[in-house]
Amino acid sequence: MQISLTLWFSIVIRLSELEPATADDSVQFKIVGGTVTEIARTPYQVSLRLKQIDRQQFGRGHICGGTVISQRLVVTAAHCLYDGRSRNMRSPNDFVIIMGNSLLQIRSVLMQQYNVQKLMSHPQYNPTNLQNDIALLFINGFVPWKSIVRALPLARVTAVVGTPCLISGWGSTINGGTSSQTLQSATVPVISQTDCSAKYGYISAAQLCAGYMSGGIDSCQGDSGGPLQCHNTLVGIVSFGRYCAAQDSPGVYTNVVYYVDWIKQMNRSLDYSYYSGDVRTVVCSKLAVLAIFVAVVRY
Ligand SMILES: *[C@@H]1O[C@H](CO)[C@@H](O)[C@H](O)[C@H]1NC(C)=O
């Protein structure tokens, strides 16, 4: 890991401003240089939120993006799961996932909301150099495919240099800005490992760069964990960059192809028939069953 110290201080994780959390206080968050889009065009995109904050004001809890990859599975960046201050991993109950919704702060009739049953951060995730910046969220429900939400298939081969890919999210539209109210997207080409390493010091095979050396179009704070979609497959996960859309500073993404085996292995370990919800929900349903039982016995 050869990210130099100077570089490290200007490198920002693309987590939302809510959690300045990183080595850099000037953390920023949203797609820069993109255009307004709708969830129907990126139906696999989710908004990962902190439940408590989102309950106070819908949309305020947004910290990261994510991608639906199976009926109960969402993939995001590992750094999205950690509390920036304590550096501890949060618990499943801290999160809520919003799907099928274009606007950050307004619920549409197509919106779906899920609790998280299990968090699976990559065991070799390194918060210092952001290697293995990938995590899975096992949601507490089945996404109905007849809804607007769709899974994005995992990439099977590494995208060739120059491939046009779509990035999307509610991250900041300017370097240092706040989350975007509208879902934004932009097209960025894949950049070679060599060219990217030349700019960042070291980029591993498990990472991938996309964007423009000239700057202008890039993912930003609040886009972390979101998709880099190429040829209708999930090729990358928004991880970090030096500022946003700056010259000679393309976006760095977790290279999904590299983690397909890990994802499948984790997915196989999950029990798709088991649901454990909010403790409160469970208690309520038990009480309801008890009430019905009592009612039956009385008669
Ligand atoms: C995960 O497992 C489910 C249930 O077995 C399966 O339907 C789905 O295709 C799997 N997804 C991935 C990404 O492996």
Side-chain angles (χ1 to χ4, degrees), residues 13-24:
I13 290 178
R14 289 170 173 188
L15 193 73
S16 156
E17 59 184 5
L18 198 66
E19 298 296 305
T22 64
D24 186 336

Side-chain angles (χ1 to χ4, degrees), residues 81-97:
L81 307 190
Y82 289 81
D83 182 309
R85 284 166 197 89
S86 70
R87 306 225 156 206
N88 292 329
M89 190 157 109
R90 297 181 188 277
S91 82
N93 246 319
D94 291 341
F95 296 102
V96 63
I97 297 177

Side-chain angles (χ1 to χ4, degrees), residues 69-70 154 263-264 267 272:
I69 59 167
S70 281
L154 301 171
I263 294 171
K264 300 218 151 149
N267 188 44
Y272 271 67

